[in-house]
Amino acid sequence: MNTPIQTLRVVFAASALASSVILALFVRGRAEWTTAFWLQIAGASVALCALICFVAFRRGGLRLEAMPLWPFARVFLRQLAIVYAALAIAITALALAIIYAITRSGPNALALAVLAGLWLSLWLAPGVAALTTWRRLRRATVGDIPA
């Protein structure tokens, strides 16, 4: 059984949409939450996600060709775990530096930074893992073809 051709694209698009919603809320989150606010957030998020997906999907990007399901799942899940851990550490370190610089409270800054790192990584990791999985599978496929 082969993996559906668009699997990585769907995972990447869902991650990009979730991340663009978070970014839009971060930029405009202090505004009054009216219907117009939510429509602006939705419009900005969809537009940003469409732009990101256009760039990622052009020239056949993130498209699988005749990939067996189990090797794909093994590579994707390993990449997802590695990317999640790396993003969580990086985001936590960045958030800790920023929050500590503002609040000058170590325990509170650390708690908030860890929470931000773990939560934001949940939304970013699938998209980044889709990219790294596609590159790894493409490199393995191209490496199998004799020159």
Side-chain angles (χ1 to χ4, degrees), residues 11-119:
V11 170
F12 182 84
S15 177
L17 181 61
S19 299
S20 63
V21 168
I22 292 168
L23 178 64
L25 284 171
F26 181 75
V27 171
R28 294 264 313 162
R30 291 196 162 257
E32 184 179 344
W33 289 8
T34 62
T35 303
F37 167 80
W38 289 111
L39 289 174
Q40 289 172 354
I41 293 293
S45 299
V46 169
L48 182 60
C49 179
L51 177 67
I52 293 168
C53 288
F54 173 76
V55 171
F57 299 163
R58 69 175 186 251
R59 290 179 281 182
L62 295 173
R63 186 178 163 101
L64 297 172
E65 297 292 335
M67 184 66 188
L69 182 60
W70 294 115
F72 165 77
R74 187 175 59 245
V75 171
F76 180 72
L77 291 175
R78 184 175 58 236
Q79 289 298 313
L80 184 61
I82 291 168
V83 167
Y84 178 78
L87 281 173
I89 291 168
I91 292 171
T92 299
L94 181 66
L96 180 60
I98 293 170
I99 295 168
Y100 184 76
I102 293 170
T103 65
R104 299 284 186 217
S105 172
N108 292 340
L110 181 61
L112 190 56
V114 168
L115 183 64
L118 294 175
W119 185 76

